[in-house]
């Protein structure tokens, strides 16, 4: 799990850069593999944050550091990724007046302006 978190966070950072500059995530890539990696990476990052928050509420501390501190590192990087995502979202709203769409999972274009 820790290794997945360490791999997922850089993918999310590249995706956030793409979202900030283009209003959309990474291209699907060959056979949709890059898009799939992007989607799974976001799920891993959110999973780390949810697990850490749950641990904090139930035990009073976040996830254990793990061997070599890599689980703790993945947790910390995941929180930074979520904060980065919120910053990018805010910048898109302020700069372009739009939010990125969550297709194919969710289409809210009827309710808010979606970046093209």
């Amino acid at each position: 799990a820790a290794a997945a978190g360490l791999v997922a966070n850089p993918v999310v950072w590249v995706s956030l850069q793409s979202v900030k500059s283009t209003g959309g995530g990474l291209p699907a890539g060959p056979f949709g593999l890059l898009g799939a990696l992007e989607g799974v990476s976001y799920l891993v990052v959110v999973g780390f944050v949810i697990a850490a928050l749950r641990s904090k509420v139930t035990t009073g501390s976040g996830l254990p550091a793990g061997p070599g501190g890599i689980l703790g590192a993945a947790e910390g990087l995941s929180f930074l990724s979520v904060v980065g995502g919120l910053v990018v979202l805010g910048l898109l709203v302020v700069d372009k007046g739009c939010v990125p769409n969550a297709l194919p999972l969710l289409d809210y274009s009827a309710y808010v302006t979606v970046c093209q």
Side-chain angles (χ1 to χ4, degrees):
L6 293 178
V7 170
N9 277 285
V11 174
V12 168
W13 301 335
V14 171
S15 171
L16 289 175
Q17 174 59 38
S18 176
V19 169
K20 173 62 178 97
S21 60
T22 68
L26 299 174
F31 307 108
L33 293 176
L34 187 56
L37 176 63
E38 177 184 27
V40 169
S41 294
Y42 275 99
L43 292 174
V44 168
V45 166
V46 169
F48 264 95
V49 169
I50 289 171
L53 291 174
R54 182 172 185 265
S55 177
K56 184 74 168 169
V57 167
T58 58
T59 68
S61 64
L63 298 174
I70 61 172
L71 186 60
E75 174 189 356
L77 293 173
S78 294
F79 274 100
L80 289 175
S81 292
V82 168
V83 169
L86 293 173
V87 168
V88 167
L89 177 63
L91 289 171
L92 275 177
V93 170
V94 170
D95 294 344
K96 298 182 180 180
C98 64
V99 297
N101 210 341
L103 289 174
L105 297 177
L106 183 63
D107 182 12
Y108 40 77
S109 59
Y111 308 106
V112 296
T113 304
V114 174
C115 301
Q116 297 301 323

